[in-house]
Amino acid sequence: MKRLQNARRIVVKIGSAILVDDATGSVRRQWLQGLAADVKALRNDGSDVLVVSSGAIALGRRVLGIGSRRMSLEQSQAAAAVGQIKLARYYEEVLEPHNVKTGQVLLTLDDSLNRRRYLNSRSTLVTLLREGVVPIVNENDTVATDEIRFGDNDRLAAQVAVMTGADLLVLLSDVDGFYDKDPRRHSGARRLDRIEHIGSELEASAGGQGTASSKGGMVTKLMAARTATQAGCAMLIAKGDIDRPISKLRSGAACTLFLPSGDPQTARKHWINSLKLKGMVAIDDGACRALARGKSLLPAGVESVSGSFCKGDAVKIVDPRGEALGVGLTRYSKDEAKRIMGCKSSEITVKLGSPPQSALVHADDMVRWKSALSRHRCR
Ligand code: GLU
C-alpha cells in the first residue's frame, strides 16, 4: 500500500469496539502492543503519527460498575473521566518500550470551529509532532455533550487530520472497508476498493449507526471521509480487530481508499487558514472592492503594514476600519512591503531593484472571509 508508505503525516483512529473487549470491559493488551509496534514502524519510515482513540467510556463504565446497562448522559461523562486516565496510560505503557513519547490531547468539536482555539490546538499538536511525540487524542467527553450523544471520533479524527495537514487518515474498524450494502445483512454486499466521489448513492449505502460499543457507523465514516478528502487528505477504512492491523495494511490487506477530492486549491486554503499570522496589511477601499471581486491584493492598495513577516508568511488583511477581510501569504517581506505600499507595479522595479511580483498577496494564496468582504462589494 503505497499511500501508507509515502504518507508524511498519518492519523490513525481506533474505535472502542476493537480496543476494548466487550465481554470483560478491559483493554485488549496484546492487540494494543501490536498497534504500538505498527506505530513505531510508521515512524521508522519517516511518518508523523497521531492516534485518535476512543475507549474512555467503555473502560470507565467497567470501573464504575455500570456494566452494559444504559447510561445517562452524566454517567457517560463520569465514565469518560474515569476511563480516559486509563486509556492514556495504556498507550503510554505500550509505546514507551519503543522509545516513543506520548501526550494526551482532549479536544471538543468547538476547538476546531473557533478559530483561535483551532490555531491553539493545531500548534500544540504540531509542536508535539516536532518533538517526536505521538499525540493520543480523544474528544473531551466530560464536557462535550454532543459528542457523547452522537459518538463521533470518526469526525474528530478527520478534523485532527485537517488541522495538522495530514495526508492520510486511517480508520481502523471492525469491517474491512466500505460496502455497497450493509455486509451484516446482505451476503452479496461488495466492498468498494476506491472511492473518488462521495455522492448521495454512497450515502444511501452507508446505512445506520454502528455497533453497541462503537457509536460511529458508516455514516460518520462517510462524514469523516468528506471532511478529510475535501482538505486533500486521503482516508482508509480498514479492518482493525486483527493483530498488527497497520502492517497487514502495508502488505496489501483489503481496505477502502477514499481519494482526496478537494482540489489542491481548497486544501491549500485550509492550510493557509491554519497558519500562524505574522503581520497585518491594511488596505484602502479600492483594494477592498477588488478583493471582494476575487482579485489579488496589489501593493498600490496597501495603506500600512505591521508585525514582522517575511516573504511567504501568513498575514491578516484588514480594511480601513480595521475589520479583517481574510488572510493570505505575502510575496514580500515587511520591509519590502513598506517600501512599495501605494506604488503601481511599474514603480516597484525602481524601488526594489528587481522585477516585481505584481501582487502582494495573490488571489490563489488568499482566504477571503466572505461576509466581511460582502460589505465592500457595492461601496
Ligand atoms: N470518545 C468516546 C470514548 O472515548 C467514544 C466515541 C466514539 O466511539 O466515537 O469513549
Side-chain angles (χ1 to χ4, degrees):
M1 156 63 65
K2 277 243 165 57
R3 239 170 235 272
L4 205 54
Q5 263 132 23
N6 297 341
R8 206 179 23 84
R9 188 165 285 175
I10 307 175
V11 175
V12 182
K13 186 261 168 175
I14 294 146
S16 307
I18 54 174
L19 180 69
V20 182
D21 187 322
D22 222 14
T24 62
S26 48
V27 155
R28 296 195 172 98
R29 257 180 198 277
Q30 219 184 327
W31 178 88
L32 192 57
Q33 277 158 355
L35 182 90
D38 277 353
V39 168
K40 175 69 176 175
L42 290 175
R43 283 169 47 97
N44 285 350
D45 273 0
S47 311
D48 289 337
V49 184
L50 298 102
V51 172
V52 174
S53 180
S54 307
I57 298 174
L59 290 172
R61 64 154 69 224
R62 181 181 183 228
V63 179
L64 296 182
I66 298 171
S68 54
R69 285 199 313 277
R70 229 186 121 76
M71 285 184 289
S72 66
L73 177 63
E74 291 76 12
Q75 278 177 314
S76 299
Q77 291 175 310
V82 172
Q84 182 60 37
I85 301 185
K86 286 179 159 289
L87 187 65
R89 205 176 49 225
Y90 284 125
Y91 279 99
E92 188 186 32
E93 266 171 30
V94 294
L95 283 162
E96 211 162 44
H98 295 283
N99 285 325
V100 176
K101 290 170 245 161
T102 47
Q104 173 186 264
V105 179
L106 299 179
L107 296 173
T108 63
L109 210 62
D110 252 17
D111 293 319
S112 61
L113 302 178
N114 173 298
R115 216 189 122 66
R116 241 183 77 186
R117 274 159 60 182
Y118 176 91
L119 290 176
N120 282 342
S121 320
R122 179 187 184 278
S123 86
T124 305
L125 288 169
V126 170
T127 307
L128 286 169
L129 293 173
R130 212 180 296 134
E131 295 294 327
V133 176
V134 171
I136 310 295
V137 186
N138 195 0
E139 182 103 21
N140 195 350
D141 290 323
T142 51
V143 296
T145 55
D146 274 351
E147 197 274 347
I148 284 174
R149 274 185 217 125
F150 296 117
D152 219 347
N153 271 15
D154 291 328
R155 241 188 340 160
L156 172 70
Q159 251 137 12
V160 168
V162 174
M163 204 181 249
T164 55
D167 36 14
L168 183 62
L169 166 62
V170 181
L171 300 186
L172 292 180
S173 168
D174 48 4
V175 281
D176 61 359
F178 190 91
Y179 281 73
D180 61 349
K181 297 187 194 77
D182 185 345
R184 288 167 300 187
R185 275 186 276 149
H186 303 270
S187 56
R190 199 173 52 89
R191 187 180 48 76
L192 308 174
D193 281 339
R194 284 161 87 87
I195 295 175
E196 283 177 36
H197 168 72
I198 304 168
S200 49
E201 267 171 47
L202 215 60
E203 268 163 7
S205 27
Q209 298 293 309
T211 56
S213 51
S214 90
K215 295 183 199 157
M218 282 298 154
V219 176
T220 61
K221 296 203 172 23
L222 218 50
M223 284 161 82
R226 185 170 281 128
T227 306
T229 56
Q230 276 174 2
C233 174
M235 188 182 107
L236 287 175
I237 299 180
K239 197 154 175 57
D241 53 359
I242 49 173
D243 190 36
R244 304 285 310 261
I246 296 176
S247 70
K248 298 241 163 51
L249 208 48
R250 277 153 74 108
S251 42
C255 65
T256 297
L257 168 66
F258 290 80
L259 292 166
S261 69
D263 57 297
Q265 206 49 26
T266 315
R268 185 171 165 72
K269 297 215 166 169
H270 271 287
W271 171 71
I272 292 173
N273 225 351
S274 63
L275 292 175
K276 192 176 171 78
L277 299 175
K278 296 290 178 64
M280 198 160 79
V281 175
I283 64 175
D284 63 20
D285 282 321
C288 292
R289 282 194 296 275
L291 255 58
R293 291 200 310 274
K295 303 275 186 226
S296 297
L297 171 61
L298 301 180
V302 175
E303 288 191 322
S304 69
V305 293
S306 57
S308 155
F309 54 87
C310 304
K311 184 172 177 242
D313 278 344
V315 291
K316 181 152 83 175
I317 305 169
V318 300
D319 72 7
R321 286 150 292 279
E323 193 182 349
L325 303 176
V327 295
L329 304 181
T330 162
R331 297 197 169 187
Y332 294 98
S333 68
K334 182 191 171 193
D335 288 343
E336 288 170 334
K338 251 192 150 142
R339 276 155 65 199
I340 60 172
M341 61 191 191
C343 291
K344 296 209 171 59
S345 297
S346 55
E347 298 166 278
I348 297 174
T349 320
V350 182
K351 294 242 175 185
L352 296 182
S354 58
Q357 299 263 1
S358 54
L360 185 101
V361 179
H362 192 275
D364 289 347
D365 296 335
M366 199 187 296
V367 179
R368 293 154 211 281
W369 296 349
K370 293 215 174 76
S371 56
L373 270 167
S374 64
R375 270 166 251 142
H376 291 277
R377 217 155 266 149
C378 27
R379 269 199 186 131

